[in-house]
Structures are given as C-alpha cells and as structure tokens.
C-alpha cells in the first residue's frame, strides 16, 4: 500500500490498531462525493486527461452501486474507506484510478468527508427535534385547561397547566435545533485542496470543488483545514446540550408515570414489565434516554481530550474522532425517536394532576398577592400572614379555598370573603396573564405561535 519505501509488511498488532474501516465505512457516500468533485475539477483544470476523468467518474458510480447494494467487500488491510474505495476503483477502471489522488491527501479527504457527514447529521437532528416538538405541541393542545402542580425544589409551588409545561420543552428544543443550525453555518467550508497540510503545486480550483460539494467557500488556511475538528466538537456539544434537555423530560416522564404521581400513563407499547414483580409497568425508554445522556457527554469529553494539545497539522489521533461522533449521532437519534413516541403515546390524567395540585397549598402566593392588592400591605408582611394561614389550613387538613373565613380572620381581621375568588386553582391559573404566563389565554398564544412555526 505504501509503495517503494516499504519492504516488510506490518506487525500483526499494526493490523489491529491502524484500520478505521470498521467504522469509517459510514463515510462511503461522502467519500464518493468528494472524489467526484475532485476528479471533475482535475479534468477541468487539465491536471488529468478528460478520458481518465470520465473513467474515474464511471468507476465511482460502479463502486457506489456495490456499496449501496451491500456487495462491496471492505478490507481491513486497506485501512480505511479512502483506500478501500480507491483500491476497488483501480480494479474496476485500471490505471486511470491512480490519477484520482493527484493533488489530494487522505488528510484533506477525511476532513472533507467528515464535514459532509456532520453537516447531514445536523440536518437530521433538526428534523427529529421538529418531530418531538410536534408531539409536545399536540399534547399541549389537549391540555390548555389541565391544571397540575408547578414545582420548584420539587415542592408544589404554583398551579400551572400541563400545556404550559409541555411548551417549555418546545422552547428548549427550539434552541437545540438552533445550535445545530449554527454549527452548520460555521462548519460549511471546504477543506478539500489543502492536501496533506501545505496545499499543492498543481493548479487546482478549490472554489469549484467547494461549490460542487455545497460548501460556501474553501477554507482559507490549509493547515487549519486538515487539523480542525472543532466542527465535530461543536456538533457533539450541540448533541450533549440537546440530550441534557431531553433527559429532563425523560426524568419527568419517569416521575409522572410512577403511581406515586400518576400524572400520565404510557400504553403497553411504551412500557416494560418486571421478571419478578407482576404489577410493574416500567418507563424503560425514558430511563434509557436519561441514562444515555452521560454517554453523549462522554463522546464530547473523549474527542475534546483527543484534540487538546495536539500539534498542527494532522495526527493519527484524529482518527479517533469518528466513532465518538457516530455514537453521539446514533444515540441522539434513538433518544429523540423514543421521546417522540412516548410523548405522542402518553395519556395525561387530569384528575391525578389536580389532586396533587390541591395538596400543596399552591395558591398561597395568590393569597399574599390579594393582601398586597386589596389591603395595600407590603409584600413581605403579606407573605408572613399568608404563611400563617397556610399553617392553619394544614392543621385543619383543608385546602386554602376550603378554610372558613372566620379562621382566616383570626390571623388577619381585614380579610373578606372576596379573597376566595383568588384561592381556587382555576383562579390562580387564570390570573397569571403576564406575557409567557400560565393563563390559558397566554398559553393559547404560545400554541398558535408554534403551530405556525412548525408548519
Ligand atoms: N483513516 C484516517 C482517519 O480516519 C484517514 C486519514 C489518514 N491520514 C493519514 N495520514 N494517515 O483520520
């Protein structure tokens, strides 16, 4: 493979450590696209004869067909996808194939292939995120009036609606999609033509290959072109942040499906049983999504560690980039599909949500606000008085709206029966009319916004 300089073959451990074909075969189509662009450019520039260019292009089509049909034989002794394709090309078209690698190195080749792959992965991630947003939006539409406890510190805080809760995730996911879009805007430049590291003495046309591959322009610096992997890190960081967001929803599903909450129910299709406890209905997929978040962060950390301190330009260390990115892409894809399925599948239980909302005196803030608004009390004093009234209701084991006025007046004599208008869950939710608040009218605005946006 390495030509004249080498007389002996590799040690057996070398045959184990150097190949990347087992995983970089996933770059096959990108590699073919890069080779086509390069071959066309070489012929157009008169660097190779037109006839050889045409033979190479026909040969690349034949190779692609073998790969797509699953007939291509990948060989570990040919190390990677680049040499596998080139070697097969030679078998198919003969000598002309040897001209394809003019003015090119595997260093700019792999950087090109990998950027193309990550670019597609970003687009794919955005489509999957879109799907999850749509499932959440559909649940939101069903539950604009469904009241649940909103939590802070995992303690019942104030009543909110299930729609409002679902839409919070739609917002988070929109930012996740935005990160993938930003990553594409930055990574979409062409390393091809940087050759090994210093450029080439052949009169290549880098603008032409960049254009053919859909890149916005050639990368300005050939050393940067072959050594940069920050685009992969950026993709992995977008994957990691998206997984952390999705893991929160997964974690909430785990809680909500527990009988202790009972807020939602997943159908049999999204539930697993236990081998010993017949009553169990485990939200396995949600737990796995939550768990897989660590794996994707691990992918980011692994690649960041590979790149850290690595001298320019190319080092074989960089061959470690691909498995981390493939793993993160596969894991993110699987997780988003599982979440989309579960969100579409779940049935909310408004009665259980309501019971939980009633239990935690979540309208205590509304009581304090009433004291401020009607009695013109400073908020701190109102907070103290409302706290005393909650204590009284707790002792009497009733919700705030069921506590007799006489009991409340023992604590604050100026309270009137008008206060009951703010103590129910509905009154509380309906009153939160500030922009972005949980009042159904406001939540309907959010729904309309996302319906339009996700069209
Ligand atoms: N298989 C290599 C990789 O994955 C391709 C580039 C190899 N270049 C080299 N000079 N060994 O990065």
């Amino acid at each position: 493979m390495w030509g004249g300089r080498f007389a002996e073959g590799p040690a057996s451990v070398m045959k184990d450590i150097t190949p990347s074909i087992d995983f970089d075969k996933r770059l096959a189509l990108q590699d073919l696209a890069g080779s086509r662009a390069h071959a066309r450019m070489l012929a157009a520039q008169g660097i190779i004869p037109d006839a050889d260019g045409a033979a190479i292009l026909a040969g690349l089509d034949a190779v692609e067909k073998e790969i797509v049909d699953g007939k291509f034989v990948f060989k570990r002794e040919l190390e990677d996808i680049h040499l596998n394709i080139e070697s097969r090309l030679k078998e198919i078209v003969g000598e002309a194939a040897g001209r394809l690698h003019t003015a090119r190195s595997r260093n700019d080749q792999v950087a090109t292939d990998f950027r193309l792959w990550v670019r597609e992965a970003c687009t794919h991630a955005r489509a999957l995120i879109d799907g999850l947003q749509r499932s959440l939006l559909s649940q939101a539409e069903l539950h604009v009036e469904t009241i649940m406890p909103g939590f802070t510190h995992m303690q019942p805080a104030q009543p909110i609606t299930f729609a409002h809760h679902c839409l919070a995730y739609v917002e988070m996911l929109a930012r996740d999609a935005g990160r993938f879009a930003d990553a594409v805007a930055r990574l979409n430049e062409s390393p091809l033509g940087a050759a090994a590291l210093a450029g080439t003495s052949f009169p290549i046309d880098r603008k032409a290959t960049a254009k053919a591959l859909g890149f916005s322009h050639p990368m300005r610096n050939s050393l940067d072109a072959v050594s940069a992997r920050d685009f992969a890190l950026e993709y992995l960081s977008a994957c990691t942040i998206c997984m952390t967001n999705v893991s929160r929803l997964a974690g909430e599903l785990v809680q909500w499906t527990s009988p202790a909450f009972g807020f939602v129910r997943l159908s049999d299709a999204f539930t697993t049983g236990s081998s010993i406890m017949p009553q169990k209905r485990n939200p396995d997929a949600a737990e796995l999504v939550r768990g897989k978040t660590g794996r994707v962060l691990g992918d980011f950390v692994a690649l960041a560690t590979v790149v850290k301190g690595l001298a320019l330009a190319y080092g074989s260390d960089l061959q470690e980039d691909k498995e981390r990115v493939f793993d993160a892409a596969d894991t993110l894809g699987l997780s988003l599909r599982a979440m989309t399925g579960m969100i579409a599948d779940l049935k909310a239980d408004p009665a259980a949500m309501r019971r939980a909302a009633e239990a935690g005196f979540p309208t205590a803030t509304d009581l304090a606000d009433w004291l401020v608004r009607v009695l013109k009390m400073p908020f701190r004093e109102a907070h103290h008085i409302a706290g005393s009234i909650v204590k009284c209701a707790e002792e009497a084991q009733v919700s705030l709206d069921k506590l007799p006025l006489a009991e409340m007046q023992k604590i604050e004599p100026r309270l009137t029966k008008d206060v009951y208008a703010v103590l129910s869950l509905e009154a509380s939710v309906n009153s939160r009319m500030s922009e972005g608040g949980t009042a159904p009218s406001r939540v309907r605005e959010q729904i309309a916004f996302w319906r339009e946006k996700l069209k």
Side-chain angles (χ1 to χ4, degrees):
M1 211 163 36
W2 312 126
R5 178 108 196 242
F6 286 73
E8 281 171 48
S12 80
V13 66
M14 291 295 279
K15 294 180 193 153
D16 292 332
I17 198 169
T18 56
S20 52
I21 188 62
D22 293 341
F23 48 87
D24 70 15
K25 60 173 125 184
R26 290 180 70 170
L27 298 176
L29 296 182
Q30 289 75 16
D31 198 69
L32 288 160
S35 287
R36 284 192 182 101
H38 187 64
R40 283 201 185 97
M41 181 277 293
L42 290 176
Q45 294 295 102
I47 298 169
I48 65 171
D50 282 336
D52 286 352
I56 289 169
L57 290 172
L60 290 171
D61 286 349
V63 170
E64 174 159 345
K65 184 155 177 13
E66 290 183 8
I67 290 174
V68 171
D69 293 346
K71 302 215 170 84
F72 191 94
V73 184
F74 295 100
K75 297 185 183 141
R76 297 192 91 220
E77 57 278 18
L78 291 171
E79 268 199 13
D80 57 24
I81 188 62
H82 324 296
L83 295 175
N84 267 269
I85 289 179
E86 196 182 324
S87 152
R88 182 70 188 123
L89 186 68
K90 183 145 187 232
E91 288 170 7
I92 297 172
V93 310
E95 281 313 311
R99 297 195 194 279
L100 172 59
H101 212 53
T102 313
R104 185 176 78 168
S105 153
R106 280 188 296 157
N107 297 351
D108 60 336
Q109 198 177 348
V110 72
T112 303
D113 297 359
F114 202 27
R115 274 180 197 261
L116 292 174
W117 198 94
V118 173
R119 187 174 74 187
E120 266 175 51
C122 288
T123 305
H124 187 54
R126 288 174 65 191
L128 291 173
I129 289 171
D130 200 87
L132 179 51
Q133 287 180 301
R134 282 163 202 272
S135 313
L136 285 160
L137 185 56
S138 298
Q139 287 291 353
E141 281 171 334
L142 294 175
H143 294 290
V144 178
E145 314 266 352
T146 301
I147 293 178
M148 66 183 283
F151 295 94
T152 58
H153 313 271
M154 212 49 227
Q155 303 290 319
Q158 292 173 353
I160 57 169
T161 66
F162 188 51
H164 196 210
H165 200 117
C166 289
L167 290 170
Y169 283 105
V170 174
E171 297 286 341
M172 290 155 87
L173 288 163
R175 289 190 296 274
D176 290 329
R179 271 180 278 274
F180 286 109
D182 293 349
V184 168
R186 242 183 313 278
L187 74 75
N188 199 30
E189 47 182 14
S190 176
L192 195 57
L197 75 166
T200 174
S201 56
F202 290 97
I204 58 172
D205 181 352
R206 292 190 60 205
K207 285 196 182 65
T209 50
K211 185 156 182 254
L213 294 168
F215 288 122
S216 54
H217 53 264
M219 291 180 77
R220 255 185 309 275
N221 182 307
S222 63
L223 292 179
D224 177 44
V226 296
S227 58
R229 290 297 181 272
D230 50 280
F231 71 90
L233 284 173
E234 188 166 352
Y235 171 72
L236 288 174
S237 73
C239 289
T240 302
I241 296 172
C242 182
M243 282 298 290
T244 59
N245 282 338
V246 169
S247 78
R248 300 176 74 169
L249 179 56
E252 298 211 281
L253 271 185
V254 174
Q255 275 169 354
W256 292 344
T257 53
S258 163
F261 277 76
F263 288 5
V264 309
R265 188 176 166 88
L266 291 171
S267 75
D268 290 356
F270 283 93
T271 310
T272 55
S274 153
S275 56
I276 172 171
M277 297 164 283
Q279 84 284 12
K280 291 295 284 295
R281 292 180 61 80
N282 297 333
D284 257 274
E287 298 161 69
L288 286 163
V289 168
R290 195 174 54 178
K292 284 176 190 295
T293 306
R295 173 177 174 146
V296 175
L297 171 62
D299 289 325
F300 172 83
V301 172
L303 183 57
T305 311
V306 166
V307 175
K308 179 193 171 297
L310 187 63
L312 303 190
Y314 181 86
S316 283
D317 317 43
L318 293 176
Q319 181 165 293
E320 288 290 311
D321 57 1
K322 284 168 280 298
E323 283 169 290
R324 306 284 50 93
V325 165
F326 294 157
D327 181 69
D330 293 345
T331 307
L332 178 72
L334 190 56
S335 302
L336 288 169
R337 281 169 45 220
M339 290 308 295
T340 304
M342 284 186 285
I343 295 299
D345 177 81
L346 72 79
K347 291 258 172 302
D349 182 344
M353 290 182 181
R354 187 174 187 95
R355 268 196 306 281
E358 274 166 354
F361 307 107
T363 55
T365 312
D366 302 272
L367 172 55
D369 287 350
W370 188 92
L371 296 170
V372 170
R373 214 170 24 244
V374 179
L375 302 184
K376 310 287 175 233
M377 217 178 251
F379 183 77
R380 279 291 152 232
E381 192 187 333
H383 180 282
H384 186 82
I385 288 173
S388 306
I389 294 175
V390 165
K391 195 163 171 228
C392 173
E394 195 173 27
E395 277 158 15
Q397 295 184 22
V398 293
S399 59
L400 283 177
D401 58 336
K402 302 276 154 30
L403 189 67
L405 185 59
E407 291 299 313
M408 292 198 219
Q409 284 172 335
K410 282 186 197 154
I411 295 162
E412 171 47 64
R414 288 174 295 163
L415 273 159
T416 68
K417 65 175 183 352
D418 293 350
V419 75
Y420 289 100
V422 304
L423 294 182
S424 72
L425 298 178
E426 279 72 17
S428 171
V429 163
N430 290 335
S431 72
R432 291 210 159 42
M433 287 280 295
S434 54
E435 197 175 334
T438 204
S441 56
R442 283 302 196 182
V443 171
R444 283 198 186 90
E445 284 172 11
Q446 293 183 50
I447 288 176
F449 174 85
W450 284 113
R451 259 301 153 222
E452 186 57 35
K453 193 119 179 140
L454 294 172
K455 239 187 206 148

